[in-house]
Amino acid sequence: MNEKEVAEIRRRIKPEKTNITHVRGCYVNDKKEIVSQFLQPLSMLSQEEGETLLQLLRKTLSGGVGRNLLDMEFSTQQVLQSEEHKLLMALRKSALQEEDAVLAFYQKAIQAIDLQGNYLILLAYDTYDVPFRAKDGQALEDASDEVYTYILCSICPVKLTRPALSFYVSENAFHSLSPDWVVAPPQMGFLFPAFHERAADIYSALYYCKDISQNHSAFTQAVFCQEAPMPAAVQKETFESLLGDTLENDCSFEVVSTVHEELCEKIQQHKESKEEEPLLVNKQEVLHILDACGVKEENQQAFEERFEAAFGQNAAISVQNLVDTKQFSVNTPDVQIRVNPQRSDLVQVRIVDGVKYILIRASDGVEVNGVHIHIE
């Protein structure tokens, strides 16, 4: 799914738009035991409570595609024969009313969820009359030729608040607030089937993971029988290690800053072009940048081999997972320098009298500990 498709479904999960009439789920303790099960009609909740519950579900469709939101593709054999796909289809087909299927899903998920402490498994079912879009992109709400039915799952930690002191104005007095259990935003979840080209795609699901340094692979193995993609934060660390380990003496400040600038430029151009599909980069595009920087052929070959070993021979990676567009940093064991990514030209590396220096061009507006200073 692309950003536009995700946004279209996310906008639906609001009181005035959704067809979600109830949310069902279970409360699980730290011993992986189901403490209670519930089937909660939204009509029985106050407006504020209903909106809060829908907001939890909506967060399962938040974050960036390729970072927090990952496509999980099913093979043809899985769709035709696998137990994991049959279970998901049973949940969807029965609108979460088939008790055996719901309980089987609970048990499968609970054994694989690696969260510490108590948590909720929330399940919701929705039907969406997909409005027809004219060639100019205008949605025609009264013209629909597609009904998209889907289930949404959210895994939400339940955390104990800390004791606190509150002041009650009406009583003009202080009172202690006792610790209480509150539902936190989801740590993981999924949408099935995926909403692809504005229709249901039973060959795909959209998996959500809040923490980009983790992928909760045991959960994806249990629910989809698939390995989750490498976490976005790990992709960035791996890419940076590849540059440092394979380029050897060619890994200069100029090369690293050029790679950063080129990838950031790709992101900016993609944003301006308003392309719907995620921006991906492959090894050949990175090698082209390295070659333009004058990196030796043997070092390029070493990078290519390590890239294939880490990501796969034909891998295409989200560019946003490889660079931080908001900062450009230079670190030594004792000094940290953060630079506007668009002004990395202000930093240079020089050797003066045999000593290595990092030079930063400075004009007006220099501060030290918040104090404006003058440079003579």
Side-chain angles (χ1 to χ4, degrees), residues 36-324:
S36 66
Q37 299 186 46
F38 54 87
L39 180 61
Q40 178 65 63
L42 295 184
S43 59
M44 299 295 291
L45 299 175
S46 68
Q47 181 178 350
E48 182 180 356
E49 290 169 340
E51 289 178 354
T52 301
L53 187 53
L54 290 177
Q55 186 178 27
L56 288 174
L57 294 170
R58 192 163 62 247
K59 283 186 177 295
T60 311
L61 299 176
S62 61
V65 172
R67 288 175 63 79
N68 309 92
L69 298 168
L70 309 170
D71 286 319
M72 305 298 293
E73 304 291 340
F74 293 102
S75 66
T76 301
Q77 184 176 1
Q78 279 185 294
V79 173
L80 294 177
Q81 301 177 351
S82 72
E83 293 300 321
E84 63 275 4
H85 195 274
K86 287 181 180 179
L87 179 57
L88 293 174
M89 290 295 289
L91 293 173
R92 177 197 181 210
K93 185 176 181 180
S94 68
L96 302 176
Q97 298 300 317
E98 188 177 327
E99 297 297 328
D100 290 343
V102 171
L103 185 58
F105 174 79
Y106 288 161
Q107 296 297 340
K108 178 177 284 193
I110 288 169
Q111 296 307 312
I113 292 172
D114 55 3
L115 299 180
Q116 299 296 318
N118 305 339
Y119 59 87
L120 289 176
I121 298 178
L122 301 178
L123 290 171
Y125 170 83
D126 190 21
T127 60
Y128 175 32
D129 291 326
V130 183
F132 177 77
R133 286 196 184 278
K135 292 183 178 180
D136 60 0
Q138 185 70 30
L140 305 177
E141 299 293 342
D142 296 332
S144 174
D145 57 359
E146 176 75 28
V147 178
Y148 171 55
T149 61
Y150 63 93
I151 57 173
L152 192 61
C153 173
S154 302
I155 313 298
C156 302
V158 179
K159 300 180 179 180
L160 187 64
T161 61
R162 295 181 179 181
L165 186 66
S166 178
F167 181 75
Y168 288 72
V169 177
S170 59
E171 301 178 17
N172 198 34
F174 290 96
H175 292 290
S176 295
L177 294 179
S178 301
D180 202 357
W181 294 97
V182 297
V183 181
Q187 289 292 312
M188 66 187 88
F190 65 87
L191 170 79
F192 176 82
F195 186 62
H196 184 227
E197 295 184 353
R198 310 193 70 241
D201 179 6
I202 64 171
Y203 285 82
S204 180
L206 186 67
Y207 172 57
Y208 168 77
C209 190
K210 180 181 179 182
D211 187 349
I212 63 170
S213 67
Q214 301 183 32
N215 58 14
H216 301 286
S217 59
F219 181 76
T220 61
Q221 276 285 3
V223 177
F224 310 115
C225 200
Q226 294 182 33
E227 285 287 343
M230 183 186 296
V234 178
Q235 290 183 19
K236 185 174 185 295
E237 293 173 1
T238 302
F239 181 72
E240 292 168 347
S241 296
L242 290 181
L243 290 175
D245 295 342
T246 62
L247 301 190
E248 297 183 346
N249 292 338
D250 286 338
C251 192
S252 63
F253 174 84
E254 288 75 15
V255 169
V256 174
S257 61
T258 299
V259 171
H260 186 275
E261 290 170 4
E262 291 288 336
L263 295 181
C264 287
E265 180 64 23
K266 287 180 178 290
I267 293 174
Q268 183 61 31
Q269 291 176 355
H270 183 265
K271 184 177 181 179
E272 292 175 353
S273 66
K274 297 183 179 180
E275 290 286 338
E276 295 182 2
E277 296 304 317
L279 175 62
L280 304 176
V281 65
N282 55 38
K283 65 183 180 184
Q284 294 300 332
E285 293 174 277
V286 180
L287 287 171
H288 179 74
I289 298 173
L290 297 179
D291 185 63
C293 293
V295 173
K296 297 184 183 67
E297 186 175 345
E298 57 267 29
N299 290 342
Q300 292 186 45
Q301 184 176 355
F303 174 84
E304 182 176 7
E305 293 173 354
R306 289 281 299 276
F307 186 97
E308 291 179 357
F311 299 110
Q313 185 173 6
N314 300 314
I317 306 169
S318 173
V319 180
Q320 293 186 349
N321 294 350
L322 302 184
V323 293
D324 187 343

